[in-house]
Amino acid sequence: MDSQELVKTNELYNRHWWFLGKYKIVHKLIERYVRTPYVPRVLDIGCGPAYFSRFYQYTGIDPNTNIDAHNIIKARIEDVELTDKYDVILALDVLEHLEDDRVILRYLNENLKDDGIAIITVPAHPWLFSEHDRVCGHYRRYTRKQLKELFRDFDCKLYYFNSLLFPVELVFRLLTGGKNNLKLLPGWLNALLFFVFSVEYYLLPVLPVGMSLLVIVRRKRG
């Protein structure tokens, strides 16, 4: 990722409607799917601001995070090897930054509990690849078919999301030539967009298209 873009992104993680809406959707999915008698253990790959550390037994991996804590590993995702098992593995808008996205399979095979889940989000539609993606350090955008193939050895549910705002974002990107639009908006507008985005949790099964894809991955039952 461009260094200036990295600084700007770190400043927006806990304020921008896109990040906050995504975190809320993922948080509600964890509450829905993970039932343990203890606080779930979460491995957050590409953890950024370590948002979920306030809720769970937490380990984060991110070479670029500005968080200094004992449970944050500042190293390349490709170079980390763990022996612990986790109830949840998160990779939120991470795979598109990896030259070889198959590295996620090692974490799923070695570090996901048998009854655990992984929640993975990626940008959708390769035809939308633009200057925004290049500045953000993306190698690709994804189709549903590509994700199904990547996780073919697992059970997975695939959903589009960031869907209700899809027409607006699509027009904006076409008008601006795909330039990066990640910036903090006026408070009222930021709050409105956060509400619109986060309500998609209740609509995931019926959303026909969106700017992003969300995958819930589980081990196949024998």
Side-chain angles (χ1 to χ4, degrees):
M1 181 182 289
D2 178 271
S3 59
Q4 291 183 337
E5 187 64 23
L6 180 62
V7 171
K8 184 171 68 172
T9 301
N10 281 333
E11 291 175 350
L12 295 178
Y13 271 134
N14 292 306
R15 302 172 64 192
H16 194 276
W17 66 269
W18 156 250
F19 295 109
L20 295 178
K22 178 173 64 174
Y23 296 152
K24 184 171 182 178
I25 291 170
V26 170
H27 187 53
K28 293 182 76 67
L29 287 170
I30 294 173
E31 290 183 329
R32 175 182 173 186
Y33 282 98
V34 181
R35 304 288 184 179
T36 65
Y38 53 87
V39 177
R41 300 194 70 199
V42 172
L43 174 63
D44 192 356
I45 300 172
C47 63
Y51 174 86
F52 294 96
S53 62
R54 69 194 76 176
F55 305 110
Y56 306 110
Q57 297 185 66
Y58 184 87
T59 299
I61 304 172
D62 196 322
N64 299 313
T65 183
N66 58 358
I67 303 297
D68 290 309
H70 73 279
N71 56 346
I72 304 297
I73 302 170
K74 288 190 175 184
R76 292 175 70 249
I77 293 161
E78 298 91 335
D79 298 335
V80 176
E81 293 191 12
L82 302 171
T83 57
D84 291 343
K85 299 285 187 178
Y86 296 88
D87 301 292
V88 181
I89 293 179
L90 302 177
L92 306 180
D93 291 286
V94 171
L95 299 192
E96 65 273 17
H97 294 275
L98 303 177
E99 187 171 2
D100 184 359
D101 57 6
R102 292 171 298 178
V103 69
I104 189 64
L105 300 177
R106 171 166 59 82
Y107 285 99
L108 297 181
N109 285 315
E110 296 179 6
N111 303 114
L112 185 64
K113 289 186 177 180
D114 289 342
D115 57 350
I117 65 167
I119 301 175
I120 295 160
T121 64
V122 294
H125 310 301
W127 58 271
L128 272 176
F129 196 92
S130 66
E131 180 63 22
H132 170 84
D133 295 280
R134 284 185 284 272
V135 169
C136 290
H138 296 176
Y139 284 95
R140 67 194 75 80
R141 301 178 71 94
Y142 287 83
T143 65
R144 290 172 60 94
K145 182 178 179 181
Q146 286 174 311
L147 289 177
K148 286 181 179 178
E149 174 62 21
L150 180 62
F151 300 116
R152 63 183 181 273
D153 294 329
F154 296 84
D155 286 328
C156 62
K157 295 181 179 179
L158 283 84
Y159 304 106
Y160 282 111
F161 79 124
N162 196 10
S163 299
L164 298 179
L165 296 168
F166 180 77
V168 176
E169 293 195 52
L170 180 59
V171 169
F172 182 87
R173 292 200 181 192
L174 292 174
L175 291 176
T176 61
K179 292 182 180 179
N180 189 17
N181 63 340
L182 192 64
K183 61 183 178 180
L184 194 61
L185 301 173
W188 67 270
L189 182 56
N190 198 62
L192 175 62
L193 295 177
F194 163 73
F195 172 78
V196 172
F197 185 21
S198 59
V199 80
E200 290 188 10
Y201 165 77
Y202 302 99
L203 305 174
L204 285 177
V206 299
L207 295 171
V209 70
M211 293 293 291
S212 301
L213 284 158
L214 182 149
V215 193
I216 300 173
V217 179
R218 286 174 151 166
R219 294 187 183 280
K220 287 186 175 179
R221 306 283 181 177

